[in-house]
Amino acid sequence: QAPLVESGGGLVQAGGSLRLSCTASGLSFSSYAMGWFRQAPGKEREFVAANKWIGGGVTWYADSVKGRFTISRDYAKNTVYLQMSSLKPEDTAVYYCAAGIVLIREAGNYNYWGQGTQVTVSS
């Protein structure tokens, strides 16, 4: 089984909401930083949000999603969520979850990746 499996993408109108889920298996979930990235057609993969327990929950967001997206984790279910609200057409992309040792914004430092889930926001 793949270490990270995502779900929850789809088509939504601008202003709407979606929640993405990513369930980890075979990993020490609580030890890893969990991140969300996205990649739009013709663009590089970009950081969206990340979270790690470092004496408390430490969370980072990209400026483009701050105040609209929320990352959260359910440690009992080994699952990380990305709640997306006030969606815009420019949020359209394939969204990936990732797991890494270090809480960081750079995609190259994450060790495991999900298969990606398409999010399309219509205007």
Side-chain angles (χ1 to χ4, degrees):
Q1 185 176 355
L4 299 175
V5 178
E6 300 152 358
S7 61
L11 173 64
V12 64
Q13 289 189 332
S17 299
L18 277 177
R19 188 178 78 160
L20 306 183
S21 301
C22 173
T23 299
S25 61
L27 304 176
S28 180
F29 181 71
S30 61
S31 300
Y32 277 82
M34 298 299 297
W36 287 96
F37 293 78
R38 66 187 182 186
Q39 188 166 19
K43 295 187 177 182
E44 293 187 352
R45 191 169 298 190
E46 66 172 358
F47 171 78
V48 175
N51 169 273
K52 185 174 183 180
W53 186 268
I54 308 174
V58 179
T59 300
W60 292 348
Y61 294 99
D63 288 343
S64 59
V65 307
K66 202 171 294 184
R68 300 187 299 121
F69 291 11
T70 302
I71 186 172
S72 62
R73 297 170 73 151
D74 185 332
Y75 289 90
K77 296 182 178 179
N78 283 1
T79 298
V80 60
Y81 302 98
L82 185 68
Q83 178 67 48
M84 305 183 294
S85 302
S86 302
L87 283 161
K88 305 174 181 180
E90 51 263 45
D91 294 318
T92 295
V94 177
Y95 283 71
Y96 299 88
C97 70
I101 299 298
V102 179
L103 180 63
I104 199 166
R105 299 171 188 262
E106 285 72 26
N109 288 278
Y110 284 78
N111 306 99
Y112 302 97
W113 290 85
Q115 79 282 6
T117 186
Q118 177 70 47
V119 171
T120 302
V121 184
S122 63
S123 57

